Coordinates of all heavy atoms in Angstrom, one line a residue:
G36 N 58.1 -52.6 110.3 CA 56.9 -53.3 109.9 C 57.1 -54.0 108.5 O 56.1 -54.4 107.9
L37 N 58.3 -54.1 108.0 CA 58.6 -54.8 106.8 C 58.7 -56.3 107.0 O 59.5 -56.7 107.8 CB 59.8 -54.2 106.1 CG 59.8 -52.8 105.7 CD1 61.1 -52.3 105.0 CD2 58.6 -52.5 104.8
A38 N 58.0 -57.1 106.2 CA 58.2 -58.5 106.3 C 59.1 -59.0 105.2 O 59.7 -58.3 104.4 CB 56.8 -59.2 106.1
H39 N 59.3 -60.4 105.1 CA 60.1 -60.9 104.1 C 59.6 -60.5 102.7 O 58.4 -60.5 102.5 CB 60.1 -62.5 104.2 CG 60.8 -62.9 105.5 ND1 62.2 -62.9 105.5 CD2 60.4 -63.4 106.6 CE1 62.6 -63.4 106.7 NE2 61.5 -63.7 107.4
A40 N 60.5 -60.3 101.8 CA 60.2 -59.8 100.5 C 59.3 -60.9 99.7 O 59.6 -62.0 99.8 CB 61.4 -59.5 99.7
Q41 N 58.2 -60.4 99.2 CA 57.4 -61.2 98.4 C 57.5 -61.0 96.9 O 57.1 -61.8 96.1 CB 55.9 -60.9 98.8 CG 55.6 -61.3 100.3 CD 55.7 -62.7 100.6 OE1 55.2 -63.6 99.8 NE2 56.4 -63.1 101.6
V42 N 58.1 -59.9 96.6 CA 58.2 -59.5 95.1 C 59.7 -59.2 94.8 O 60.2 -58.3 95.2 CB 57.3 -58.2 94.9 CG1 57.4 -57.9 93.4 CG2 55.9 -58.4 95.3
P43 N 60.3 -60.1 94.0 CA 61.7 -60.0 93.7 C 61.8 -58.9 92.7 O 60.9 -58.5 92.0 CB 62.1 -61.3 93.1 CG 60.8 -61.9 92.6 CD 59.8 -61.4 93.5
P44 N 63.0 -58.3 92.5 CA 63.3 -57.3 91.5 C 63.0 -57.9 90.1 O 63.0 -59.1 89.9 CB 64.7 -57.0 91.7 CG 65.1 -57.4 93.0 CD 64.2 -58.6 93.3
P45 N 62.5 -57.0 89.2 CA 62.4 -57.5 87.8 C 63.6 -58.1 87.3 O 64.7 -57.7 87.6 CB 61.9 -56.3 87.0 CG 62.4 -55.1 87.8 CD 62.4 -55.6 89.3
E46 N 63.5 -59.1 86.4 CA 64.7 -59.8 85.8 C 65.4 -58.7 85.0 O 64.9 -57.9 84.3 CB 64.2 -60.9 84.9 CG 65.3 -61.7 84.2 CD 64.9 -62.8 83.3 OE1 63.7 -63.1 83.4 OE2 65.7 -63.3 82.5
A47 N 66.8 -58.8 85.2 CA 67.6 -57.8 84.5 C 67.6 -57.9 83.0 O 67.4 -59.0 82.5 CB 69.1 -57.9 85.0
F48 N 67.7 -56.7 82.3 CA 67.8 -56.7 80.9 C 69.0 -57.5 80.5 O 70.1 -57.2 80.9 CB 67.9 -55.3 80.4 CG 68.0 -55.1 78.9 CD1 67.1 -55.7 78.0 CD2 69.1 -54.4 78.4 CE1 67.2 -55.5 76.7 CE2 69.2 -54.2 77.0 CZ 68.3 -54.8 76.1
P49 N 68.9 -58.5 79.6 CA 70.0 -59.4 79.4 C 71.1 -58.8 78.6 O 72.3 -59.3 78.7 CB 69.4 -60.6 78.5 CG 68.1 -59.9 77.9 CD 67.6 -59.0 78.9
D50 N 70.9 -57.7 77.9 CA 72.0 -57.1 77.1 C 72.5 -55.9 77.8 O 72.7 -54.8 77.3 CB 71.5 -56.7 75.7 CG 71.2 -58.0 74.9 OD1 72.0 -58.9 75.0 OD2 70.2 -58.0 74.1
A51 N 72.7 -56.0 79.1 CA 73.3 -54.9 79.9 C 74.2 -55.5 81.0 O 74.0 -56.6 81.5 CB 72.2 -54.1 80.5
D52 N 75.3 -54.8 81.3 CA 76.2 -55.2 82.4 C 76.0 -54.4 83.7 O 75.7 -53.2 83.6 CB 77.7 -55.0 82.0 CG 78.0 -55.9 80.8 OD1 77.6 -57.1 80.8 OD2 78.8 -55.5 79.9
L53 N 76.0 -55.1 84.8 CA 75.8 -54.4 86.0 C 77.1 -53.6 86.4 O 78.2 -54.1 86.4 CB 75.6 -55.4 87.2 CG 75.4 -54.9 88.6 CD1 74.2 -54.0 88.7 CD2 75.4 -56.0 89.6
V54 N 76.9 -52.3 86.6 CA 78.0 -51.4 87.0 C 78.1 -51.2 88.5 O 79.2 -51.2 89.1 CB 77.8 -50.1 86.3 CG1 78.9 -49.1 86.7 CG2 77.8 -50.2 84.8
E55 N 77.0 -51.1 89.1 CA 77.0 -50.7 90.6 C 75.6 -51.2 91.1 O 74.6 -51.1 90.5 CB 77.1 -49.2 90.8 CG 77.1 -48.8 92.2 CD 77.3 -47.3 92.4 OE1 77.7 -46.7 91.4 OE2 77.0 -46.8 93.5
E56 N 75.7 -51.7 92.4 CA 74.4 -52.0 93.1 C 74.5 -51.4 94.5 O 75.5 -51.5 95.2 CB 74.3 -53.6 93.2 CG 73.0 -53.9 93.9 CD 72.7 -55.5 93.8 OE1 72.3 -55.9 92.7 OE2 72.9 -56.2 94.8
T57 N 73.4 -50.7 94.9 CA 73.4 -50.0 96.1 C 72.2 -50.4 97.0 O 71.1 -50.5 96.4 CB 73.2 -48.5 95.8 OG1 74.4 -48.1 95.0 CG2 73.3 -47.7 97.1
T58 N 72.4 -50.6 98.3 CA 71.3 -50.9 99.2 C 70.6 -49.6 99.5 O 71.3 -48.6 99.8 CB 71.8 -51.6 100.4 OG1 72.4 -52.8 100.1 CG2 70.7 -51.8 101.4
I59 N 69.3 -49.5 99.5 CA 68.5 -48.4 99.8 C 67.7 -48.7 101.1 O 67.0 -49.6 101.2 CB 67.6 -48.0 98.7 CG1 68.4 -47.6 97.4 CG2 66.7 -46.8 99.1 CD1 67.5 -47.4 96.2
D60 N 67.9 -47.8 102.1 CA 67.2 -48.0 103.4 C 67.0 -46.6 103.9 O 67.9 -46.0 104.4 CB 68.0 -48.8 104.3 CG 67.3 -49.2 105.6 OD1 66.2 -48.6 105.9 OD2 67.8 -50.0 106.4
S61 N 65.8 -46.1 103.8 CA 65.5 -44.7 104.1 C 64.1 -44.5 104.7 O 63.2 -45.1 104.2 CB 65.7 -43.8 102.9 OG 65.2 -42.5 103.1
P62 N 64.0 -43.6 105.7 CA 62.6 -43.3 106.2 C 62.0 -42.3 105.3 O 60.7 -42.0 105.5 CB 63.0 -42.7 107.6 CG 64.3 -42.1 107.4 CD 65.1 -43.0 106.5
G63 N 62.7 -41.7 104.3 CA 62.1 -40.7 103.5 C 62.7 -40.6 102.1 O 63.3 -39.6 101.7
H64 N 62.7 -41.7 101.3 CA 63.3 -41.8 100.0 C 62.4 -41.1 99.0 O 61.2 -41.3 98.9 CB 63.5 -43.3 99.6 CG 64.2 -43.5 98.4 ND1 65.6 -43.2 98.3 CD2 63.8 -43.9 97.2 CE1 66.0 -43.5 97.1 NE2 65.0 -43.9 96.3
M65 N 63.0 -40.2 98.2 CA 62.2 -39.4 97.3 C 61.9 -40.3 96.0 O 62.7 -40.8 95.4 CB 63.1 -38.2 96.8 CG 62.3 -37.3 95.9 SD 63.1 -35.6 95.8 CE 64.8 -36.1 95.3
V66 N 60.6 -40.3 95.7 CA 60.1 -41.0 94.5 C 59.2 -40.0 93.8 O 58.2 -39.4 94.4 CB 59.3 -42.2 94.9 CG1 58.7 -42.9 93.6 CG2 60.2 -43.2 95.7
L67 N 59.4 -39.8 92.5 CA 58.6 -38.8 91.7 C 57.6 -39.5 90.9 O 57.9 -40.5 90.3 CB 59.5 -38.0 90.8 CG 60.2 -36.7 91.4 CD1 61.0 -37.0 92.6 CD2 61.0 -36.0 90.4
F68 N 56.4 -38.9 90.8 CA 55.2 -39.5 90.1 C 54.8 -38.4 89.0 O 53.7 -38.5 88.6 CB 54.1 -39.8 91.0 CG 54.4 -40.9 92.0 CD1 55.0 -40.6 93.2 CD2 54.2 -42.2 91.8 CE1 55.4 -41.5 94.2 CE2 54.5 -43.2 92.7 CZ 55.1 -42.8 93.9
S69 N 55.7 -37.5 88.7 CA 55.4 -36.5 87.7 C 56.8 -35.9 87.2 O 57.8 -36.2 87.9 CB 54.5 -35.4 88.3 OG 55.1 -34.8 89.4
P70 N 56.8 -35.1 86.2 CA 58.1 -34.5 85.7 C 58.8 -33.7 86.8 O 58.1 -33.2 87.6 CB 57.7 -33.7 84.5 CG 56.4 -34.3 84.0 CD 55.7 -34.8 85.3
V71 N 60.0 -33.6 86.6 CA 60.8 -32.9 87.6 C 61.2 -31.5 87.1 O 61.4 -31.3 85.9 CB 62.1 -33.7 88.0 CG1 63.1 -33.8 86.8 CG2 62.8 -33.0 89.2
R72 N 61.3 -30.5 88.0 CA 61.8 -29.2 87.7 C 62.8 -28.8 88.8 O 62.7 -29.3 89.9 CB 60.7 -28.2 87.6 CG 59.7 -28.4 86.4 CD 58.7 -27.2 86.4 NE 57.9 -27.2 87.7 CZ 57.7 -26.0 88.3 NH1 58.1 -24.9 87.9 NH2 56.9 -26.1 89.4
E73 N 63.6 -27.9 88.4 CA 64.5 -27.3 89.5 C 64.3 -25.8 89.6 O 64.5 -25.1 88.5 CB 66.0 -27.6 89.1 CG 67.0 -27.2 90.1 CD 68.4 -27.5 89.7 OE1 68.6 -27.6 88.5 OE2 69.3 -27.6 90.6
V74 N 63.9 -25.3 90.7 CA 63.6 -23.9 90.9 C 64.5 -23.5 92.1 O 64.3 -24.0 93.2 CB 62.1 -23.7 91.2 CG1 61.8 -22.2 91.5 CG2 61.3 -24.2 90.0
N75 N 65.3 -22.5 91.8 CA 66.2 -22.0 92.9 C 67.0 -23.1 93.6 O 67.0 -23.1 94.9 CB 65.4 -21.2 93.9 CG 64.9 -19.9 93.3 OD1 65.4 -19.3 92.3 ND2 63.6 -19.5 93.7
N76 N 67.5 -24.1 92.8 CA 68.3 -25.2 93.4 C 67.4 -26.2 94.2 O 68.0 -27.0 94.9 CB 69.4 -24.7 94.2 CG 70.5 -24.0 93.4 OD1 70.8 -24.3 92.2 ND2 71.0 -22.9 93.9
E77 N 66.1 -26.1 94.1 CA 65.2 -27.0 94.8 C 64.5 -27.8 93.7 O 64.0 -27.3 92.7 CB 64.2 -26.2 95.6 CG 64.9 -25.5 96.9 CD 63.8 -25.0 97.8 OE1 62.6 -25.1 97.5 OE2 64.2 -24.3 98.8
I78 N 64.3 -29.1 94.1 CA 63.5 -30.0 93.2 C 62.1 -29.7 93.3 O 61.5 -29.7 94.4 CB 63.9 -31.5 93.5 CG1 65.3 -31.8 93.2 CG2 63.0 -32.4 92.7 CD1 65.8 -33.1 93.6
R79 N 61.4 -29.6 92.3 CA 59.9 -29.4 92.3 C 59.3 -30.4 91.3 O 59.8 -30.7 90.3 CB 59.6 -28.0 91.8 CG 60.2 -26.8 92.6 CD 59.5 -26.7 93.9 NE 60.1 -25.6 94.7 CZ 59.8 -24.3 94.6 NH1 58.8 -24.0 93.7 NH2 60.4 -23.4 95.3
S80 N 58.2 -31.0 91.8 CA 57.4 -32.0 91.0 C 56.0 -31.9 91.5 O 55.8 -31.8 92.7 CB 58.0 -33.4 91.2 OG 57.3 -34.3 90.4
A81 N 55.0 -32.0 90.6 CA 53.6 -31.9 91.0 C 53.2 -33.0 92.0 O 52.5 -32.8 92.9 CB 52.7 -31.9 89.8
T82 N 53.8 -34.2 91.8 CA 53.5 -35.3 92.6 C 54.8 -36.0 93.0 O 55.4 -36.7 92.2 CB 52.6 -36.4 92.0 OG1 51.4 -35.7 91.5 CG2 52.1 -37.4 93.0
M83 N 55.2 -35.7 94.2 CA 56.5 -36.2 94.7 C 56.3 -36.6 96.2 O 55.7 -35.9 97.0 CB 57.6 -35.1 94.7 CG 59.0 -35.4 95.2 SD 60.2 -34.1 94.9 CE 59.5 -32.9 96.0
E84 N 56.8 -37.8 96.5 CA 56.6 -38.3 97.8 C 58.0 -38.7 98.4 O 58.9 -39.2 97.7 CB 55.7 -39.6 97.8 CG 54.3 -39.3 97.4 CD 53.5 -38.5 98.3 OE1 53.8 -38.5 99.5 OE2 52.5 -37.8 97.9
R85 N 58.1 -38.6 99.7 CA 59.3 -39.2 100.4 C 58.7 -40.4 101.2 O 58.0 -40.1 102.2 CB 59.9 -38.1 101.3 CG 60.6 -37.0 100.5 CD 61.5 -36.2 101.3 NE 62.3 -35.2 100.5 CZ 63.4 -35.5 99.9 NH1 64.0 -36.6 100.1 NH2 64.1 -34.6 99.3
L86 N 59.1 -41.6 100.8 CA 58.5 -42.8 101.3 C 59.5 -43.6 102.2 O 60.7 -43.6 101.9 CB 58.1 -43.7 100.1 CG 57.1 -43.1 99.1 CD1 57.0 -44.1 98.0 CD2 55.8 -42.8 99.7
P87 N 59.0 -44.2 103.2 CA 59.8 -45.1 104.0 C 60.0 -46.4 103.2 O 59.1 -47.1 102.9 CB 59.0 -45.4 105.3 CG 57.6 -45.2 104.8 CD 57.6 -44.1 103.8
V88 N 61.2 -46.7 102.9 CA 61.5 -47.8 102.0 C 62.7 -48.6 102.4 O 63.7 -48.1 103.0 CB 61.6 -47.4 100.5 CG1 60.4 -46.7 100.0 CG2 62.9 -46.5 100.3
K89 N 62.8 -49.8 101.9 CA 64.0 -50.6 101.9 C 64.1 -51.2 100.5 O 63.0 -51.6 99.9 CB 64.1 -51.7 103.0 CG 64.2 -51.1 104.3 CD 64.5 -52.2 105.3 CE 64.7 -51.7 106.8 NZ 65.0 -52.8 107.7
G90 N 65.3 -51.4 100.0 CA 65.3 -52.0 98.7 C 66.7 -51.9 98.0 O 67.8 -51.9 98.8
V91 N 66.8 -51.9 96.7 CA 68.1 -51.9 96.0 C 68.0 -51.0 94.8 O 66.9 -50.8 94.2 CB 68.4 -53.4 95.6 CG1 67.3 -53.9 94.6 CG2 69.8 -53.5 95.0
G92 N 69.1 -50.4 94.5 CA 69.3 -49.6 93.3 C 70.4 -50.2 92.5 O 71.4 -50.6 93.0
Q93 N 70.2 -50.4 91.1 CA 71.1 -51.1 90.3 C 71.3 -50.2 89.1 O 70.4 -49.8 88.4 CB 70.5 -52.4 89.9 CG 70.3 -53.3 91.0 CD 69.3 -54.5 90.7 OE1 68.4 -54.3 90.0 NE2 69.6 -55.7 91.3
L94 N 72.6 -50.0 88.7 CA 73.1 -49.3 87.6 C 73.6 -50.2 86.5 O 74.5 -51.0 86.8 CB 74.1 -48.2 88.0 CG 74.7 -47.4 86.8 CD1 73.7 -46.5 86.2 CD2 75.9 -46.6 87.3
Y95 N 73.1 -50.2 85.3 CA 73.5 -51.0 84.2 C 74.0 -50.2 83.0 O 73.5 -49.1 82.8 CB 72.4 -51.9 83.7 CG 71.7 -52.9 84.7 CD1 70.7 -52.5 85.5 CD2 72.3 -54.1 84.9 CE1 70.1 -53.4 86.4 CE2 71.8 -55.0 85.8 CZ 70.7 -54.6 86.5 OH 70.1 -55.6 87.4
E96 N 75.0 -50.7 82.3 CA 75.4 -50.1 81.1 C 74.9 -51.1 79.9 O 75.2 -52.3 80.0 CB 76.9 -49.9 81.0 CG 77.3 -49.3 79.7 CD 78.7 -48.9 79.6 OE1 79.5 -49.1 80.5 OE2 79.2 -48.5 78.5
V97 N 74.2 -50.5 79.0 CA 73.7 -51.3 77.9 C 74.8 -51.7 76.9 O 75.7 -50.8 76.6 CB 72.6 -50.5 77.1 CG1 72.1 -51.4 75.9 CG2 71.5 -50.2 78.1
V98 N 74.9 -52.9 76.5 CA 76.1 -53.4 75.7 C 75.9 -52.9 74.2 O 74.7 -52.6 73.8 CB 76.2 -54.9 75.7 CG1 76.4 -55.3 77.1 CG2 75.0 -55.5 75.1
R99 N 76.9 -52.8 73.5 CA 76.9 -52.4 72.1 C 76.0 -53.5 71.4 O 76.1 -54.7 71.6 CB 78.3 -52.4 71.5 CG 79.1 -51.3 72.1 CD 80.5 -51.2 71.3 NE 81.3 -50.2 71.9 CZ 81.3 -48.9 71.5 NH1 80.4 -48.5 70.6 NH2 82.1 -48.0 72.1
G100 N 75.2 -52.9 70.4 CA 74.3 -53.8 69.7 C 72.9 -53.8 70.2 O 72.0 -54.3 69.6
A101 N 72.7 -53.3 71.4 CA 71.4 -53.2 72.1 C 71.2 -51.7 72.3 O 72.1 -50.9 72.1 CB 71.3 -54.0 73.4
N102 N 70.0 -51.3 72.8 CA 69.7 -49.9 73.1 C 68.8 -49.8 74.3 O 68.2 -50.8 74.7 CB 69.2 -49.2 71.9 CG 67.9 -49.8 71.4 OD1 66.9 -49.8 72.1 ND2 67.9 -50.4 70.1
R103 N 68.8 -48.6 74.8 CA 68.0 -48.3 76.0 C 66.5 -48.5 75.8 O 65.7 -48.8 76.7 CB 68.3 -47.0 76.6 CG 67.9 -45.8 75.7 CD 68.2 -44.5 76.3 NE 67.7 -43.4 75.4 CZ 66.5 -42.9 75.5 NH1 65.7 -43.4 76.4 NH2 66.1 -42.0 74.8
E104 N 66.0 -48.3 74.6 CA 64.6 -48.4 74.3 C 64.2 -49.9 74.5 O 63.2 -50.2 75.0 CB 64.2 -48.0 72.8 CG 64.2 -46.5 72.7 CD 65.6 -46.0 72.3 OE1 66.6 -46.8 72.3 OE2 65.7 -44.8 72.0
E105 N 65.1 -50.8 74.1 CA 64.8 -52.2 74.3 C 64.8 -52.5 75.8 O 64.1 -53.4 76.2 CB 65.9 -53.1 73.6 CG 65.9 -52.9 72.0 CD 67.0 -53.6 71.4 OE1 68.1 -53.8 72.0 OE2 66.9 -53.9 70.2
A106 N 65.8 -51.9 76.5 CA 65.8 -52.1 78.0 C 64.5 -51.6 78.6 O 63.9 -52.4 79.4 CB 67.0 -51.4 78.5

Side-chain angles (χ1 to χ4, degrees):
L37 297 179
H39 290 287
Q41 298 295 314
V42 184
E46 183 179 346
F48 179 55
D50 292 321
D52 292 322
L53 180 65
V54 177
E55 180 181 342
E56 182 169 288
T57 302
T58 298
I59 299 174
D60 186 348
S61 171
H64 187 67
M65 184 164 54
V66 178
L67 272 63
F68 300 85
S69 58
V71 66
R72 294 183 300 134
E73 186 181 23
V74 180
N75 296 326
N76 295 320
E77 291 186 2
I78 295 175
R79 302 286 179 87
S80 182
T82 308
M83 179 176 67
E84 297 291 335
R85 290 192 175 274
L86 303 174
V88 300
K89 290 189 176 183
V91 62
Q93 297 161 326
L94 177 67
Y95 298 94
E96 182 175 356
V97 179
V98 303
R99 293 184 181 276
N102 60 63
R103 65 180 185 83
E104 289 85 356
E105 293 171 340

